[in-house]
Amino acid sequence: MGRSCCGRTTPACCALPVLSRMRTAVALLLLVLGHVAMPLEVPLDLPQPPTITHESPKDYIVDPRENISIRCEAKGKPHPSFSWTRNGTHFDIDKDPRVKMKPHSGTLVIDISDKDRAEAYEGVYQCTAHNEHGSAVSNSIVIRQSRSPLWSKEENPPIIVQEGAPLVLKCRPPAGLPPPIVFWMDNNFQRLPLGQRVSQGLNGDLYFSNVVASDSRNDYICYARFPHTSTIQQKQPITVRVANNVPTEERPPSFQVPLGRTSSKMVLRGQVLEMECIAEGLPTPEITWSKVSGDLPTNQASFLNFHKTLRITGVTEADSGQYRCTAKNSLGTIHHDITVTVKAAPYWIVAPQNLVLAPREKGQLICRANGNPKPTISWFMNGLPIQNVPTDDDASRIVEGDTIRFEDVVPGTSAVYQCNASNEYGYLLANAFVNVLSEPPRMLTPPNKVYQVIMNKPAVLECSSFGSPIPKITWFKDSHPNVLDGDPYKFYDNGTLVIPVAQAANSGKYTCMAMNMLGKSDNHVYLEVKEPTRILKQPMYKEVQRNRDVMFECKVKHDSSLIPTMIWLKDGGELPDDERFVVDSDSLTITEVTEADAGTYTCIMNTTLDQDSASADLRVVEKPDPPSDLELTDQRPRSVQLTWIPGDDHNSQIKKFLIQYEDLLHDRGRWHNLTEVPGERTTAHLKLSPYVHYTFRVLAQNDVGYSHPSSPSRQYRTKPAAPDENPIGVEGLGTQPDNLVIYWKPLTGLQSNGPGLQYIVYWRQKDVEEDFQSVKVANVSKFTVGGTPTFAPYEVKVQAVNEHGVGPEPSTVIGYSGEDLPKAAPEHVQVQVINSTLAHVHWEHVPFRTVRGHLKGYKVYYWRKGSLHHHNPHHSEQQVLTFNGNRTHGKLPGLHPFSRYTLNVRVFNGRGEGPASINQEFETPEGVPGQPSFLKVNPSLDSLTLEWGPPHDRNGRLTGYTVKYQPVNNSHDLGPMEVLTVAANETSLTLPNLKYSTRYKFYINAKTQKGPGPTITEEAVTVIDEAVASRQVDIATQGWFIGLMCAIALLILVLLIICFIKRNKGGKYPVKEKEDAHADPEIQPMKDEDCVFGEYSDSEDHKPLKGSRTPSNGTVKRDDSDDSLVDYGDGGDGQFNEDGSFIGQYSGRKERDTAECIESSEAPSPVNAMNSFV
């Protein structure tokens, strides 16, 4: 069998964004189908018939100002030659010097530079590419010259139309090739404004649903732009004059285009369908669309020209049917139905594909097309109708309608077959060769190709090969010998290997092998699966005030082997070229934000394989602009209507409006809040007061804040009237025992309602049969009534009055004349002691008449006379506790235990205190004592002495002290507790036999019969032998002491050397004689007694004192630190005989009799030497 397709995909295909599993499957299917659908590629080094690779379009409109180039490119082996036909006959290019064919190409170039008209070369051209294996033909190419004719001269008389009437201005552009683009402009080259009322039809005419006075003008100009030649033609201006001499009447809609109730339209499949309905009427009608036989296509349909045009792109047979447009205004509704018929030029179902067959193989070419009407299929071979081909070539070929089958093909029967599918609306032409070859497999995919894909995306590994017969493809991974099969792999006939969801484990080396009966070939490719690019922190919605800074963050994670590129977009386009936009590695900062910066910001992270993006909106807000155009309407004596126009809200909705007023009569220069209204309202009904000269202003508030105030309204004055209210805060209070002062809060100028504001003050004694007394006062807020009885109740009221009348009847309040000091003292005062610090006091009420004022409460005065302990006399200052209200008892807290107190009780009113009650004395019982006043610890050599002071507050008779102590180690852990009891008259205690150099913690508290009081603590360390050790260390670190010790050690060393030399000069033994023979003559003999240096010896034990410290160079020990003559021998057996000669190495004696010089020659350590001084 022959192979029908082959090709290559690119790695970029594997990086397409996938939003879901379904979309992944669709993308993978499209990817593989696209791969399969590519035409068969035969290597150009192999024999093959021609294949046309490039050709000009079927309908080719040429520019008459340029040379004509008709393209025809082809490939084949051997390289093909080319020929042309024009209008169905052979076109001999050699006979026309203006026509040239490009070298190694079939492209024709026609030179029309010498003003030859291009229309002379109009016609139908067809190219044929030939070689020894066959002939391929191009489409029929229709060459036409573009045309942009001038507008015919015409006179356009002025058009006079009545206001409100419909109008159509005809354009009638000249017919061009291709048709021109039409638009309307004025003399200033400004496009005329279009809208619901005025619109342009598909034919270029200008339609007015109804004209208005502003439509009068003399420069309605229609322009036609011819895109192929880039020229613009202009129609003569049209003048329109709108008359208004007849009253305008409203009318229901009627259609200006199309006419009638129904119409029809035919459109070809795949083209764009445009239907329009333009209606006139007054008011201007609105147009709507529907499909009678179904729903409008959602994805294809759009509305243009202010909803007057319905446009459907990519028309299919399903779009046929009946469409309805409806025009409607307030006076009626009309409909127009458009029947749409969809026809179809031929389109491919299966186009024939190149076929490569090995000898004795079989195959087939299929040519299937559809259309409306159904197209006719015709076959050609090498450009000739197949029925005209000689019969001796028909042995292996069978034609069956839209299919040609080949059986047992033989070499030399290669050819190019053409399939033509045509109907009345067009044709399709396809070339497909049949190439008979015997060829071992060869790889077409480049070797060692590296595929990089993103994890979880499909990976498509190509194995494009060629061979005849078709090779069989197998795949291997890495070094494994097993053929790949099953999940997760998918294999296709063209050799492609697909991994639908690539994972990191799929990375590696892949080998594909192509094999047929003539041989085999393999190729290696590599797959690298990369981590996906992901935005970890997306930019967030921002709302920022103008002139502030804002920052969008965009933090991204990507595969480390891929190079990322961050791009920021604003509203889908590039960022403005403005230094205020600062792009960082993971952020975008905008400084001093303006309103123009508002929009949608998108960060896109691109790599060579994938991308991720995220968007956020920026909303720039500001305080609203102040309202404007304040107007006062509906003016009444006590109210007015205020309206205004809101200012720009600057992207933050206005929440409310605040209305303020200024009283130019009473309070000029100050603005007062009057009322608030919701932000959706622009009017307010304001309640006013009489006798005020008002001006108003309005402030708008949004989430950012208040706007500046609006400009003030005009002044509005209200007429005066009697007061509407009386003063508030009326009260009567006496300041002296014989007066009553009446207070009130004065009315404001706004409350006065008129000129001449005064107050009428009324008063009378309560429960006394008499009329109110009154007085009229002005400009004051109080009035004093004299000669009143002490603390008598009065009824008082205050009424406002002005020149226009009195205010409403005032309410009455109760006040009292002045108070005096109470006359009586509380009686039957008793004290009940609760405990050592609390007592309860009781007393009886004083008679109300003796209070002579408002009873405020009682005060208890008490003071401490002293302690009951004879050692602690004490007198404290007087203290006071106040009990508000009509109380008869109270508690006295915080008393001192074991003390004597005195108290009395007094009643008080608003004037002051009355006389004191008879003094009462009481005593508090014993309590626990206070803490000892101090605690000291005095260390000695083998004991610690504690001293303490008695408590300042004994709170009773002391019965003794409790002493506790325990050791504390270096980690602050506490040892066992020792407890001692000490008599009350003792204030010191010695603790013997304590551990030396040990820290102790001590606790002491005092006791009474009530129990122990709080504890005082202290810590101390025993100092046995510490003083001496400290003194030794201190001396040993002094410079003079170190120098002295060094001098003594040096002197001792010199004396020892002299003693040693003298002892060695004894002369009784051969050694002595040898020594004498070599003796230094300067050294004089010494006597034995000269070796004794008793003043430096120490007959005591040379161990350091207990607790002493050694010098810094180490511990001084007799056995290894003191100098000894034994150290100068070979061992410890060396001895001196009586004359001092050293005989240890010559004598066999084992005695260790120490000569007197040995004992005296020991060098003392610095510490031992110090001990000898002390």
Side-chain angles (χ1 to χ4, degrees):
M1 288 292 292
R3 164 170 72 166
S4 63
C5 65
C6 181
R8 295 186 298 173
T9 58
T10 62
C13 297
C14 302
L16 296 174
V18 180
L19 302 179
S20 64
R21 289 183 178 271
M22 181 63 72
R23 192 166 178 180
T24 302
V26 172
L28 181 60
L29 179 61
L30 293 176
L31 187 67
V32 175
L33 287 179
H35 178 74
V36 171
M38 294 186 68
L40 173 64
E41 294 290 337
V42 179
L44 281 177
D45 61 336
L46 296 178
Q48 56 185 292
T51 300
I52 292 184
T53 55
H54 297 94
E55 59 183 311
S56 294
K58 292 181 181 180
D59 192 4
Y60 187 17
I61 299 175
V62 298
D63 190 336
R65 298 168 298 182
E66 299 177 354
N67 291 339
I68 301 173
S69 177
I70 311 175
R71 194 174 185 190
C72 181
E73 306 284 348
K75 65 179 181 177
K77 181 69 174 183
H79 189 74
S81 60
F82 298 89
S83 63
W84 286 85
T85 62
R86 179 184 176 193
N87 299 327
T89 61
H90 176 68
F91 183 34
D92 191 349
I93 61 176
D94 295 331
K95 293 183 178 182
D96 191 337
R98 300 187 182 279
V99 181
K100 302 292 182 183
M101 184 182 293
K102 288 185 176 181
H104 311 291
S105 169
T107 298
L108 295 182
V109 179
I110 304 174
D111 184 3
I112 57 173
S113 59
D114 293 337
K115 298 185 178 179
D116 283 339
R117 300 182 64 182
E119 63 185 16
Y121 290 94
E122 290 183 333
V124 180
Y125 292 78
Q126 190 170 33
C127 171
T128 302
H130 324 264
N131 71 7
E132 62 189 53
H133 302 293
S135 300
V137 298
S138 70
N139 286 310
S140 295
I141 303 169
V142 179
I143 303 296
R144 293 186 295 169
Q145 174 188 332
S146 66
R147 292 175 174 81
S148 51
L150 298 176
W151 227 300
S152 61
K153 296 292 184 180
E154 59 180 348
E155 292 291 334
N156 292 323
I159 300 174
I160 300 175
V161 61
Q162 185 64 38
E163 185 175 8
L167 175 65
V168 179
L169 299 183
K170 298 292 185 178
C171 179
R172 300 190 187 95
L177 185 66
I181 299 171
V182 177
F183 52 94
W184 290 78
M185 301 178 75
D186 60 15
N187 277 332
N188 296 321
F189 299 101
Q190 300 296 316
R191 285 186 179 268
L192 296 177
L194 303 178
Q196 287 277 7
R197 187 179 63 84
V198 182
S199 58
Q200 178 181 314
L202 294 176
N203 62 355
D205 293 346
L206 193 63
Y207 293 87
F208 295 77
S209 294
N210 51 78
V211 296
V212 296
S214 60
D215 292 330
S216 293
R217 59 193 305 162
N218 58 3
D219 58 351
Y220 287 94
I221 306 174
C222 183
Y223 289 85
R225 181 168 66 87
F226 297 90
H228 214 78
T229 58
S230 300
T231 58
I232 297 178
Q233 304 287 347
Q234 171 184 334
K235 184 182 177 72
Q236 291 295 320
I238 301 175
T239 298
V240 174
R241 297 174 184 166
V242 179
N244 57 2
N245 51 8
V246 176
T248 302
E249 295 184 359
E250 295 185 344
R251 63 185 180 277
S254 65
F255 284 110
Q256 295 173 292
V257 63
L259 301 176
R261 301 291 301 275
T262 62
S263 61
S264 61
K265 201 171 186 69
M266 191 275 289
V267 63
L268 291 180
R269 181 181 186 271
Q271 292 185 346
V272 177
L273 170 64
E274 288 186 328
M275 298 174 283
E276 70 174 350
C277 282
I278 301 176
E280 59 90 4
L282 188 65
T284 302
E286 292 184 357
I287 305 295
T288 58
W289 290 88
S290 62
K291 187 175 182 182
V292 178
S293 55
D295 296 329
L296 293 176
T298 305
N299 298 326
Q300 301 165 259
S302 59
F303 301 100
L304 309 175
N305 196 19
F306 310 99
H307 232 260
K308 298 177 183 181
T309 301
L310 171 61
R311 184 179 190 185
I312 301 175
T313 58
V315 171
T316 65
E317 288 80 356
D319 296 321
S320 61
Q322 190 173 8
Y323 293 81
R324 174 172 293 174
C325 65
T326 302
K328 180 180 180 181
N329 69 6
S330 57
L331 275 72
T333 302
I334 59 171
H335 306 286
H336 182 92
D337 292 339
I338 303 174
T339 302
V340 174
T341 302
V342 178
K343 298 293 186 178
Y347 56 92
W348 290 120
I349 297 177
V350 179
Q353 301 291 327
N354 292 337
L355 191 62
V356 176
L357 297 176
R360 317 311 303 173
E361 277 194 319
K362 58 183 179 180
Q364 62 182 9
L365 294 178
I366 300 175
C367 178
R368 290 187 185 141
N370 201 357
N372 186 10
K374 188 173 181 63
T376 301
I377 303 296
S378 300
W379 284 100
F380 298 81
M381 177 180 172
N382 296 327
L384 298 175
I386 199 165
Q387 61 270 18
N388 297 339
V389 176
T391 55
D392 50 350
D393 289 341
D394 291 343
S396 63
R397 181 178 65 247
I398 302 173
V399 179
E400 297 177 344
D402 60 5
T403 303
I404 301 179
R405 292 190 295 105
F406 300 91
E407 303 280 350
D408 295 327
V409 296
V410 296
T413 58
S414 298
V416 182
Y417 293 84
Q418 291 83 32
C419 173
N420 183 293
S422 61
N423 66 12
E424 60 187 278
Y425 299 111
Y427 76 94
L428 294 173
L429 177 66
N431 289 277
F433 64 64
V434 175
N435 198 10
V436 180
L437 286 175
S438 294
E439 187 70 20
R442 65 168 67 181
M443 286 295 170
L444 303 181
T445 300
N448 300 316
K449 186 174 181 179
V450 178
Y451 294 91
Q452 294 181 332
V453 299
I454 297 298
M455 186 181 299
N456 298 322
K457 300 293 180 67
V460 179
L461 308 184
E462 302 168 2
C463 185
S464 180
S465 63
F466 182 83
S468 183
I470 298 174
K472 179 182 178 182
I473 305 297
T474 53
W475 282 90
F476 305 88
K477 185 175 186 296
D478 296 328
S479 300
H480 300 296
N482 297 331
V483 176
L484 296 181
D485 190 19
D487 288 337
Y489 305 106
K490 293 184 180 297
F491 304 92
Y492 293 87
D493 292 340
N494 61 356
T496 300
L497 166 64
V498 175
I499 305 173
V501 183
Q503 301 297 323
N506 300 131
S507 298
K509 174 183 175 183
Y510 289 81
T511 302
C512 74
M513 179 175 291
M515 181 184 299
N516 67 10
M517 65 178 65
L518 302 177
K520 63 181 178 179
S521 178
D522 60 15
N523 190 20
H524 306 296
V525 296
Y526 298 87
L527 176 62
E528 296 177 359
V529 181
K530 305 292 186 180
E531 289 287 335
T533 301
R534 289 291 178 265
I535 294 179
L536 303 179
K537 187 173 184 180
Q538 298 185 356
M540 304 297 290
Y541 168 81
K542 301 285 186 179
E543 184 174 293
V544 64
Q545 194 171 346
R546 189 171 54 192
N547 295 324
R548 303 282 181 86
D549 296 347
V550 66
M551 184 178 73
F552 291 104
E553 289 188 281
C554 187
K555 296 187 182 298
V556 182
K557 178 184 178 183
H558 62 87
D559 193 284
S560 59
S561 64
L562 301 179
I563 300 176
T565 303
M566 175 73 78
I567 300 175
W568 284 91
L569 303 178
K570 179 181 184 293
D571 298 327
E574 294 184 357
L575 292 178
D577 185 11
D578 191 331
E579 62 183 8
R580 297 182 301 105
F581 289 76
V582 181
V583 177
D584 206 346
S585 60
D586 55 5
S587 65
L588 167 65
T589 302
I590 309 173
T591 60
E592 298 179 1
V593 168
T594 66
E595 291 186 354
D597 298 332
T600 300
Y601 289 84
T602 304
C603 75
I604 303 175
M605 176 58 77
N606 286 312
T607 67
T608 53
L609 295 182
D610 70 339
Q611 71 172 36
D612 196 11
S613 63
S615 300
D617 290 334
L618 172 62
R619 185 180 179 193
V620 182
V621 297
E622 187 51 274
K623 297 176 182 178
D625 289 342
S628 60
D629 296 338
L630 273 65
E631 292 187 8
L632 299 176
T633 58
D634 193 18
Q635 300 174 6
R636 300 183 182 184
R638 294 290 187 97
S639 66
V640 71
Q641 189 87 3
L642 176 65
T643 60
W644 61 90
I645 296 176
D648 191 343
D649 64 4
H650 294 293
N651 297 320
S652 179
Q653 182 179 3
I654 295 176
K655 302 295 185 182
K656 64 181 179 180
F657 293 98
L658 172 63
I659 302 172
Q660 297 179 328
Y661 73 91
E662 179 187 14
D663 183 358
L664 297 175
L665 180 62
H666 305 101
D667 197 11
R668 180 182 293 271
R670 292 186 60 191
W671 289 89
H672 305 272
N673 294 340
L674 181 60
T675 188
E676 294 178 347
V677 296
E680 61 270 13
R681 290 175 52 185
T682 58
T683 182
H685 187 77
L686 306 179
K687 294 182 179 180
L688 307 179
S689 297
Y691 194 52
V692 178
H693 294 178
Y694 285 101
T695 56
F696 302 98
R697 70 182 187 185
V698 183
L699 293 83
Q701 185 194 34
N702 61 11
D703 288 335
V704 182
Y706 277 103
S707 70
H708 292 296
S710 68
S711 299
S713 70
R714 64 180 176 85
Q715 190 179 115
Y716 183 67
R717 299 184 178 185
T718 55
K719 296 179 180 181
D724 292 327
E725 54 186 312
N726 291 311
I728 61 175
V730 178
E731 59 179 345
L733 299 173
T735 59
Q736 298 294 330
D738 58 351
N739 75 4
L740 171 67
V741 181
I742 302 172
Y743 300 90
W744 64 91
K745 182 179 180 181
L747 298 181
T748 64
L750 185 67
Q751 296 171 316
S752 65
N753 285 8
L757 177 64
Q758 293 181 306
Y759 303 100
I760 304 174
V761 184
Y762 298 89
W763 72 92
R764 70 179 177 187
Q765 189 172 349
K766 192 174 183 296
D767 299 329
V768 176
E769 295 294 331
E770 61 180 23
D771 294 332
F772 277 101
Q773 300 180 62
S774 65
V775 64
K776 186 179 289 186
V777 296
N779 299 323
V780 295
S781 60
K782 66 178 180 178
F783 177 74
T784 302
V785 179
T788 62
T790 300
F791 197 64
Y794 278 81
E795 295 177 290
V796 296
K797 58 184 179 179
V798 181
Q799 187 175 32
V801 60
N802 64 17
E803 293 178 2
H804 292 268
V806 297
E809 179 64 27
S811 58
T812 301
V813 299
I814 304 298
Y816 285 85
S817 58
E819 297 178 275
D820 205 348
L821 295 176
K823 294 192 298 185
E827 296 182 348
H828 302 293
V829 177
Q830 297 179 354
V831 180
Q832 179 184 0
V833 177
I834 305 301
N835 55 40
S836 60
T837 60
L838 178 65
H840 202 170
V841 183
H842 297 264
W843 62 87
E844 289 186 355
H845 294 291
V846 298
F848 180 73
R849 65 180 183 279
T850 66
V851 177
R852 299 198 295 181
H854 295 287
L855 176 63
K856 299 295 186 180
Y858 292 86
K859 294 184 179 180
V860 177
Y861 287 78
Y862 65 101
W863 59 95
R864 184 184 180 201
K865 297 185 68 176
S867 172
L868 296 179
H869 195 282
H870 64 279
H871 293 296
N872 193 14
H874 187 276
H875 296 278
S876 63
E877 295 182 358
Q878 192 177 63
Q879 295 178 275
V880 182
L881 280 180
T882 300
F883 300 94
N884 295 321
N886 195 12
R887 299 276 297 275
T888 60
H889 59 87
K891 293 182 179 180
L892 303 182
L895 302 177
H896 286 274
F898 205 56
S899 300
R900 183 177 293 106
Y901 280 88
T902 301
L903 66 76
N904 59 54
V905 184
R906 308 173 192 184
V907 67
F908 69 98
N909 60 18
R911 185 78 174 172
E913 299 175 1
S917 66
I918 299 173
N919 286 349
Q920 300 291 324
E921 291 191 354
F922 65 95
E923 296 178 353
T924 56
E926 287 190 63
V928 297
Q931 189 183 68
S933 56
F934 68 88
L935 172 59
K936 296 192 300 182
V937 183
N938 300 317
S940 60
L941 292 179
D942 58 353
S943 64
L944 293 174
T945 300
L946 309 181
E947 295 182 3
W948 64 89
H952 291 302
D953 296 322
R954 302 195 179 194
N955 297 340
R957 295 180 178 84
L958 296 181
T959 60
Y961 297 92
T962 299
V963 178
K964 302 178 182 179
Y965 65 95
Q966 57 189 146
V968 182
N969 63 18
N970 292 334
S971 60
H972 302 287
D973 295 331
L974 299 177
M977 178 78 73
E978 299 290 339
V979 181
L980 302 175
T981 300
V982 181
N985 57 352
E986 297 289 341
T987 57
S988 65
L989 176 65
T990 299
L991 301 175
N993 301 323
L994 298 177
K995 296 179 180 179
Y996 73 92
S997 298
T998 302
R999 178 176 295 276
Y1000 286 87
K1001 188 170 185 178
F1002 301 93
Y1003 313 83
I1004 300 180
N1005 60 350
K1007 298 184 292 183
T1008 64
Q1009 291 184 352
K1010 278 291 185 178
T1015 299
I1016 185 172
T1017 65
E1018 186 61 78
E1019 292 187 11
V1021 180
T1022 56
V1023 294
I1024 299 176
D1025 284 347
E1026 276 196 340
V1028 175
S1030 175
R1031 187 160 62 250
Q1032 290 176 350
V1033 171
D1034 293 341
I1035 295 174
T1037 59
Q1038 299 302 311
W1040 63 267
F1041 178 74
I1042 295 174
L1044 178 61
M1045 292 299 102
C1046 290
I1048 294 173
L1050 182 60
L1051 181 59
I1052 294 174
L1053 180 60
V1054 172
L1055 294 176
L1056 286 174
I1057 292 174
I1058 295 172
C1059 181
F1060 176 72
I1061 293 173
K1062 182 181 179 182
R1063 290 285 182 152
N1064 287 341
K1065 291 183 179 182
K1068 295 183 179 181
Y1069 302 101
V1071 176
K1072 179 66 168 65
E1073 294 173 356
K1074 293 179 183 180
E1075 289 173 351
D1076 291 342
H1078 300 283
D1080 191 339
E1082 296 182 0
I1083 299 177
Q1084 300 298 323
M1086 298 179 65
K1087 297 180 179 180
D1088 291 346
E1089 57 270 11
D1090 294 336
C1091 289
V1092 180
F1093 305 99
E1095 61 272 33
Y1096 295 105
S1097 65
D1098 190 355
S1099 59
E1100 302 295 331
D1101 188 0
H1102 287 270
K1103 295 180 181 179
L1105 293 175
K1106 184 177 183 181
S1108 67
R1109 299 183 183 178
T1110 63
S1112 58
N1113 61 350
T1115 303
V1116 178
K1117 296 183 180 179
R1118 179 185 181 102
D1119 294 338
D1120 54 9
S1121 294
D1122 295 343
D1123 290 338
S1124 174
L1125 292 180
V1126 176
D1127 297 336
Y1128 293 95
D1130 295 331
D1133 297 327
Q1135 300 179 13
F1136 292 98
N1137 83 1
E1138 293 178 357
D1139 64 355
S1141 298
F1142 186 60
I1143 61 172
Q1145 60 179 323
Y1146 305 109
S1147 171
R1149 295 175 55 192
K1150 301 299 182 183
E1151 292 89 342
R1152 300 178 61 95
D1153 299 330
T1154 302
E1156 56 185 14
C1157 188
I1158 294 178
E1159 185 176 3
S1160 64
S1161 65
E1162 179 178 329
S1165 70
V1167 175
N1168 292 338
M1170 185 63 197
N1171 290 338
S1172 67
F1173 288 128
V1174 300

